[in-house]
Every structure is written in structure tokens, then in C-alpha cells.
């Protein structure tokens, strides 16, 4: 594996700084990767599996095959020189050996510098793999990265609260995943400032959260010590809402939208 990818993974890890969080505006194809990567201040990219699947007419929840997921990731990484964290869902495998194999492929064939990996079993946030199984799958992702020779940044997702589970289990899972080789915990369900503070106090590592209009403001997340904020399929929703507004305006014989045109080229 090239030194360049190793350096990208090291940079991606270094960008996860408590109090100065990495903000990743999620992308889903070549043009979104290019546009976001050329935005001043952007230092790294992340894909969103929901968006990657939906733009192909497929549902989230491993609607793609592993081959399709790797191709989709390669399209994104090929459009930017920045480090890319790939939302790799559950690893597209039924067992840990398959996770290790697929993560190695994702690095070697698509140039991923990081991944998200989930602990839920199906498309919804519940049920989850039991803790030993989920931790073993995180360890397998690390094994695959080590086999590829890249210090992949593993952002391990904890779905417990989002799936209606209990706080104590969520924290237990988070710490188990860190022990298994995760670099950052993607803690879903931190819906208010108190929960963010509590997670930062009780989890033995860096915390990643998802941002949306009803969540804790970005500046406050930084003050509290969060290390990463992403937006999942929300950025696709943002783009589609703008498209729908433009379609309504044009259909009504209204003014041409100011941004109508295509000034960007790959």
C-alpha cells in the first residue's frame, strides 16, 4: 500500500481533536466529493451509506453488494486528494473473517483512510449484535487494516440509544469497541447537551456525533470536547430540497434560480 494512503490515514486520525472537531460534510459520488473537497477549510471527507445507496435507487442497510460498495467508495476517493472515511455499514459480511477480508479490500481497492462500522444487525438500529460479537467485528476491521498496512481510522457506531436501548449498555459497548481497536466512537442518540457531556465523561476515547437542526449547536459541541461531527444523509436531503425548490420555481414559469448552470467540471 502506498505511503500516500498511510499518510492520509494518519492525517485523518490527527484531525479528530477533542474541542476542535473534524467536520465532515458527507458526500456520495465524484462530483459531491470534488465540490466539498474544494471548499475552503475542508480537510477530509466522509461518505454516507444511506446517500450512496439511495442515489442508486437502493435502500440503506447494505442494499449494495460489497463489490458495489467498494466501487462506490473508489469513485469518491478518486475525485479528491483528501483523506476519505467510508461508511462501510456492517462490513458487508456475516462473520468477522468476512469483515476483515472486506475491510482489507476497501483499503487496497478503494483507498479508504477510515471507515464507519455499525453494531446493529439489520437496517434498523435494533437489534444489535451482542457485545462480544460486535467487538470482534471491530477487531476484525482492525485486522484487515493491519493486513493492508494502513492505520485505518475506525469510527465504531453505537446504535443502542437510537434503537431504544439503555445508557449503561451504550457506554459498555463504546468502551468495548475502543478496546477492540476502534479509534473513535460514533455515539448515536446524544440528543441534548447533558447526554453529550455524559458520553464524554464515561467513554474512554474520542466521540463522534451526528449533527442536525435539532441537535446541540456545532460551536457548543466543540466547546464540550467532541472530536468529529458528520451529517449522514442530511446533506443529500439538503441537495434534494434545493432541487425540488428549483423544479417548482421553473415549472411555475418563475425566475431562473441564481445558481442554475454548471460551473463545476471534474
Amino acid at each position: 500500500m502506498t505511503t500516500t494512503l498511510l499518510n492520509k490515514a494518519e492525517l485523518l486520525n490527527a484531525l479528530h481533536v477533542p474541542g476542535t472537531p473534524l467536520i465532515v460534510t458527507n458526500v456520495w459520488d465524484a462530483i459531491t466529493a470534488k465540490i466539498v473537497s474544494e471548499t475552503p477549510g475542508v480537510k477530509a471527507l466522509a461518505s454516507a451509506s444511506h446517500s450512496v445507496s439511495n442515489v442508486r435507487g437502493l435502500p440503506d442497510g447494505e442494499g449494495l453488494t460489497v463489490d458495489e460498495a467498494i466501487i462506490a467508495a473508489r469513485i469518491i476517493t478518486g475525485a479528491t486528494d483528501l483523506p476519505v472515511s467510508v461508511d462501510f455499514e456492517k462490513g458487508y459480511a456475516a462473520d468477522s473473517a468476512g469483515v476483515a477480508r472486506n475491510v482489507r479490500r476497501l483499503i487496497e481497492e478503494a483507498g479508504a483512510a477510515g471507515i464507519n462500522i455499525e453494531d446493529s444487525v439489520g437496517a434498523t438500529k435494533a437489534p444489535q449484535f451482542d457485545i462480544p460479537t460486535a467487538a470482534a467485528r471491530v477487531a476484525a476491521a482492525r485486522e484487515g487494516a493491519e493486513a493492508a498496512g494502513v492505520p485505518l481510522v475506525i469510527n465504531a457506531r453505537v446504535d443502542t440509544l437510537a434503537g431504544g436501548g439503555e445508557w449503561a449498555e451504550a457506554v459498555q459497548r463504546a468502551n468495548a469497541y475502543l478496546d477492540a481497536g476502534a479509534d473513535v466512537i460514533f455515539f448515536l442518540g446524544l440528543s441534548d447537551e447533558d447526554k453529550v457531556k455524559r458520553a464524554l465523561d464515561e467513554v474512554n476515547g474520542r466521540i463522534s456525533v451526528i449533527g442536525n437542526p435539532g441537535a446541540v449547536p456545532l460551536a457548543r459541541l466543540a466547546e464540550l470536547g467532541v472530536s468529529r461531527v458528520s451529517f449522514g444523509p442530511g446533506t443529500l436531503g439538503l441537495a434534494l430540497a434545493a432541487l425540488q425548490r428549483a423544479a417548482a420555481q421553473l415549472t411555475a414559469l418563475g425566475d431562473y434560480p441564481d445558481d442554475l448552470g454548471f460551473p463545476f467540471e471534474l
Side-chain angles (χ1 to χ4, degrees):
M1 187 52 57
T2 66
T3 302
T4 300
L5 182 54
L6 186 150
N7 292 343
K8 285 181 179 180
E10 291 176 338
L11 172 60
L12 181 63
N13 194 16
L15 290 170
H16 290 74
V17 179
T20 310
L22 173 64
I23 306 297
V24 281
T25 305
N26 299 82
V27 300
W28 53 89
D29 60 10
I31 192 63
T32 53
K34 177 178 172 61
I35 296 310
V36 173
S37 68
E38 292 179 353
T39 302
V42 170
K43 299 176 181 178
L45 301 182
S47 68
S49 66
H50 201 137
S51 303
V52 169
S53 296
N54 283 182
V55 298
R56 288 162 174 78
L58 297 169
D60 190 30
E62 297 194 350
L64 278 67
T65 67
V66 65
D67 290 336
E68 291 169 334
I70 289 171
I71 290 169
R74 186 164 64 235
I75 289 170
I76 292 170
T77 60
T80 179
D81 291 328
L82 296 181
V84 177
S85 179
V86 175
D87 185 348
F88 208 48
E89 302 213 48
K90 305 161 212 319
Y92 297 86
D95 56 23
S96 294
V99 171
R101 180 173 59 251
N102 290 344
V103 168
R104 181 174 184 176
R105 285 189 61 195
L106 182 70
I107 295 168
E108 295 179 342
E109 298 176 31
I115 62 165
N116 283 8
I117 188 163
E118 305 168 6
D119 63 359
S120 52
V121 175
T124 60
K125 304 299 189 294
Q128 295 167 275
F129 294 107
D130 62 65
I131 295 175
T133 299
R137 293 169 73 87
V138 172
R142 177 58 64 204
E143 177 187 338
E146 289 175 349
V150 172
L152 186 77
V153 179
I154 299 176
N155 190 34
R157 202 175 89 181
V158 175
D159 286 351
T160 309
L161 296 186
E166 298 299 322
W167 180 268
E169 181 186 338
V171 171
Q172 182 182 2
R173 284 178 176 275
N175 288 324
Y177 303 164
L178 289 166
D179 289 343
D183 298 283
V184 187
I185 295 300
F186 188 13
F187 205 129
L188 295 192
L190 301 183
S191 55
D192 58 49
E193 191 170 312
D194 287 342
K195 287 188 176 68
V196 174
K197 289 179 181 177
R198 191 174 176 189
L200 289 164
D201 286 342
E202 297 181 25
V203 174
N204 302 324
R206 293 171 291 180
I207 296 288
S208 168
V209 302
I210 194 160
N212 59 63
V216 179
L218 289 168
R220 184 57 179 150
L221 288 172
E223 290 172 353
L224 291 170
V226 165
S227 296
R228 171 171 168 171
V229 185
S230 58
F231 308 93
T235 50
L236 175 60
L238 188 70
L240 295 181
L243 178 61
Q244 189 174 58
R245 286 194 300 269
Q249 186 170 327
L250 294 168
T251 301
L253 303 181
D255 294 336
Y256 295 118
D258 291 339
D259 293 330
L260 187 66
F262 198 77
F264 309 108
E265 297 292 342
L266 285 175

